[in-house]
Amino acid sequence: MTLTALKAQDLTFRTANGASIVDCVSLDIRNGDRLAIIGPNGAGKTTLLKLMCGMSRPYAGSVELDGKPLHGLKPIDRARQIAVVGQADQPDRRISVRDYVALGRIPHAMRKTRAEEAALIDAAMERTGLSALARREMGLLSGGERQRAQIARALAQEPRFLFLDEPTNHLDPRARGALLALVAELDLTVVAVLHDLNLVPDFATRVAVMRDGRLVSSDESLSRDLVREVFGIDLLRLPHPHENRELTVFDLSMTHH
Ligand SMILES: Nc1ncnc2c1ncn2[C@@H]1O[C@H](COP(=O)(O)OP(=O)(O)OP(=O)(O)O)[C@@H](O)[C@H]1O
């Protein structure tokens, strides 16, 4: 049985001067989905992500969580279910990595023993490879380490949904795949804005394609025609030269044709 967990209906977000940045988007997210939101710069991806996780309010339309209005939930109740790793998060530079990760426990305060709380925080740090950096100040971390700390904080939150905005933008190529593989292993429903299209096929069970504030597709995979139309590049599926599998390749040179 696959139940719709989050249901966005006719979501519209407008700026003060009336421009629609997200325009009448309807999207169902089922339990266990890993939805990638992709699209060109300025397409409205981050705005849609914020609307769907309850961080910002729509001008029109609604989001339902298990059939109830998401925007009617108290922030703490929302935070028990939804963890968000945003692009603009600015952790206090002076706190230790471990204390930062521990912030993820705030929505659950007083529900577990101290030892259980500590074990959850340690497990989140271990999973993201941060144990050795536990005492370092957040302000001293590299961009990639900080990104992992943000994921660790979200894991410590024990959410049902994980919303990620560009979770890999500071990571080197190998670390990008590794981080998304880690996220995919967790038993979570994930919504992630991704810029690197190479990461999408392995990670996503569904792909939401945004353009000019509109949702143009939310299928299980990307079609060549759609990639060409929306991004102006070519998607090729080629046999791996040494292994018995297919490679998805994005040919950026098409823009020069
Ligand atoms: N509160 C706001 N007021 C005015 N304009 C806004 C507001 N929020 C976003 N915008 C504009 O709306 C457009 C969509 O922004 P958004 O960040 O959602 O796009 P995006 O697809 O995530 O872009 P990128 O890929 O560049 O991160 C942009 O042109 C942005 O400048």
Side-chain angles (χ1 to χ4, degrees), residues 13 15 21 40-47 87 195:
F13 186 87
T15 62
I21 292 172
N41 289 131
K45 303 180 295 293
T46 295
T47 309
Q87 281 206 66
H195 261 300

Side-chain angles (χ1 to χ4, degrees), residues 17-243:
N17 66 12
S20 290
I21 292 172
V22 167
D23 195 6
C24 220
V25 169
S26 296
L27 187 60
D28 285 357
I29 296 173
R30 295 167 299 230
N31 286 315
D33 271 351
R34 285 193 302 280
L35 178 81
I37 303 179
I38 62 168
N41 289 131
K45 303 180 295 293
T46 295
T47 309
L48 176 64
L49 185 97
K50 285 184 177 168
L51 291 170
M52 295 217 48
C53 68
M55 270 175 76
S56 56
R57 284 185 177 267
Y59 169 83
S62 62
V63 183
E64 287 183 351
L65 169 59
D66 297 331
K68 301 202 184 83
L70 174 67
H71 291 88
L73 280 184
K74 282 193 279 184
I76 189 165
D77 292 329
R78 201 175 66 214
R80 285 192 187 128
Q81 302 222 45
I82 302 178
V84 186
V85 175
Q87 281 206 66
D89 300 353
Q90 291 288 357
D92 187 327
R93 299 176 60 80
R94 293 157 305 176
I95 64 172
S96 74
V97 173
R98 193 175 190 287
D99 286 346
Y100 175 70
V101 175
L103 296 176
R105 297 303 306 155
I106 288 176
H108 302 285
M110 316 304 285
R111 292 200 163 183
K112 289 190 156 78
T113 66
R114 280 178 78 109
E116 285 168 338
E117 293 283 334
L120 273 166
I121 296 160
D122 291 339
M125 301 199 40
E126 177 109 33
R127 256 214 123 127
T128 47
L130 285 171
S131 301
L133 301 179
R135 294 202 185 150
R136 190 163 297 175
E137 284 179 31
M138 284 299 290
L140 298 177
L141 297 187
S142 72
E145 288 163 348
R146 193 168 58 243
Q147 231 154 7
R148 277 190 283 139
Q150 289 175 291
I151 301 277
R153 191 210 59 205
L155 297 187
Q157 204 172 322
E158 290 189 296
R160 198 175 134 206
F161 302 91
L162 183 57
F163 279 72
L164 306 168
D165 194 358
E166 275 295 312
T168 62
N169 59 349
H170 286 292
L171 302 179
D172 61 56
R174 187 157 169 268
R176 288 178 175 213
L179 183 101
L180 288 186
L182 181 157
V183 169
E185 271 173 24
L186 306 165
D187 192 17
L188 294 175
T189 303
V190 186
V191 180
V193 172
L194 295 178
H195 261 300
D196 186 344
L197 297 182
N198 290 298
L199 298 171
V200 172
D202 273 353
F203 172 73
T205 58
R206 277 170 69 212
V207 189
V209 185
M210 294 285 292
R211 185 177 53 187
D212 298 333
R214 291 182 166 265
L215 180 69
V216 292
S217 163
S218 59
D219 289 340
E220 281 166 16
S221 63
L222 279 172
S223 76
R224 189 177 182 193
D225 286 347
L226 189 66
V227 169
R228 190 177 300 181
E229 189 192 318
V230 173
F231 294 94
I233 60 175
D234 204 5
L235 179 161
L236 303 167
R237 293 204 167 87
L238 306 171
H240 193 291
H242 309 302
E243 294 173 20

